[in-house]
Amino acid sequence: GIQVEQSPPDLILQEGANSTLRCNFSDSVNNLQWFHQNPWGQLINLFYIPSGTKQNGRLSATTVATERYSLLYISSSQTTDSGVYFCAVENTGGFKTIFGAGTRLFVKA
Amino acid sequence: DVKVTQSSRYLVKRTGEKVFLECVQDMDHENMFWYRQDPGLGLRLIYFSYDVKMKEKGDIPEGYSVSREKKERFSLILESASTNQTSMYLCASRLRTQGALGYTFGSGTRLTVV
């Protein structure tokens, strides 16, 4: 099956710093999505981005489907950005979603 | 505000007990999912359901079963709880046509089996 690898596994930032999170996947996918899990466990959709680039405020994401990777950019990080960021892909069969292991981010005040 | 509600936030059960985790969604979604989240492993799919009374095994179904008698409710059952089932359990739902974009997650149930 498809393998999804995220890096780095852990990241500590000073408030105001920028960061890039990476997601590599091993095969062609239908969909790709980034989620943020807050410290209370709630998973929130960030981007649905099977290809191209999208921006939402301080966050942006780029997926290069032909090279099988996606990047999530966080600029001017804030303490509320802390949590775990997951990349998830959907296989070309159309139903199964595979999650990466996540990047745990801690932003220090 | 649409939501997925999991019945318990924290649960402590004894080894060998039968455990029910309940999930209810109010969005009329066809698809519902149960995931298990463990450190370093991300979310792993236990079972999913296309629609009422339908169910499919995910990647790690052993030791679990599910029930979907009504569209809005998807129950995860641990037939005989074991300590290796201590984990965070997440329920999700989505519309059939929306793909990954349509996922809505519950807040999770942190289960400890002692």
Side-chain angles (χ1 to χ4, degrees):
Chain A
I2 298 175
Q3 304 297 314
V4 181
E5 294 183 355
Q6 291 186 245
S7 60
D10 296 280
L11 186 59
I12 299 175
L13 296 176
Q14 191 67 46
E15 195 170 29
N18 302 328
S19 65
T20 301
L21 282 56
R22 187 176 181 103
C23 171
N24 292 333
F25 44 97
S26 62
D27 206 345
S28 299
V29 298
N30 273 349
N31 298 314
L32 186 144
Q33 189 161 2
W34 285 95
F35 292 87
H36 174 224
Q37 185 176 40
N38 66 24
W40 296 271
Q42 184 68 53
L43 271 151
I44 306 295
N45 302 314
L46 293 177
F47 293 104
Y48 166 65
I49 186 165
S51 64
T53 297
K54 289 186 178 179
Q55 179 151 9
N56 184 4
R58 296 180 296 103
L59 301 181
S60 64
T62 295
T63 297
V64 183
T66 53
E67 297 187 24
R68 299 180 183 166
Y69 73 88
S70 183
L71 302 174
L72 178 69
Y73 305 96
I74 304 174
S75 64
S76 303
S77 59
Q78 299 176 358
T79 56
T80 52
D81 295 330
S82 297
V84 184
Y85 290 81
F86 288 103
C87 167
V89 302
E90 188 171 75
N91 64 359
T92 51
F95 202 87
K96 196 170 180 182
T97 300
I98 300 101
F99 284 78
T103 291
R104 185 174 297 275
L105 172 65
F106 180 66
V107 181
K108 300 188 295 184
Chain B
D1 192 19
V2 296
K3 61 174 62 174
V4 175
T5 303
Q6 294 184 229
S7 54
S8 302
R9 191 79 175 98
Y10 298 95
L11 210 51
V12 180
K13 295 292 182 181
R14 295 193 179 278
T15 301
E17 275 193 78
K18 190 169 186 176
V19 181
F20 293 85
L21 302 184
E22 304 289 344
C23 175
V24 177
Q25 51 97 0
D26 64 359
M27 297 164 285
D28 204 33
H29 284 175
E30 291 91 355
N31 305 157
M32 295 188 75
F33 306 81
W34 275 105
Y35 286 92
R36 170 178 171 158
Q37 182 180 4
D38 299 288
L41 297 177
L43 276 67
R44 293 180 292 166
L45 182 63
I46 306 172
Y47 267 95
F48 60 97
S49 171
Y50 290 100
D51 210 329
V52 179
K53 297 190 184 294
M54 300 180 73
K55 57 185 178 184
E56 294 286 338
K57 292 180 179 179
D59 296 317
I60 51 165
E62 296 78 19
Y64 303 95
S65 62
V66 291
S67 172
R68 183 115 182 252
E69 294 298 315
K70 294 185 178 180
K71 192 173 188 178
E72 67 271 19
R73 185 180 297 270
F74 192 35
S75 303
L76 180 69
I77 304 156
L78 285 66
E79 297 291 342
S80 177
S82 64
T83 55
N84 62 14
Q85 292 178 310
T86 291
S87 187
M88 168 74 101
Y89 291 87
L90 289 160
C91 175
S93 72
R94 73 176 187 190
L95 276 174
R96 193 198 310 271
T97 57
Q98 281 191 329
L101 178 63
Y103 273 104
T104 301
F105 280 87
S107 298
T109 295
R110 190 169 292 280
L111 172 67
T112 301
V113 182
V114 298

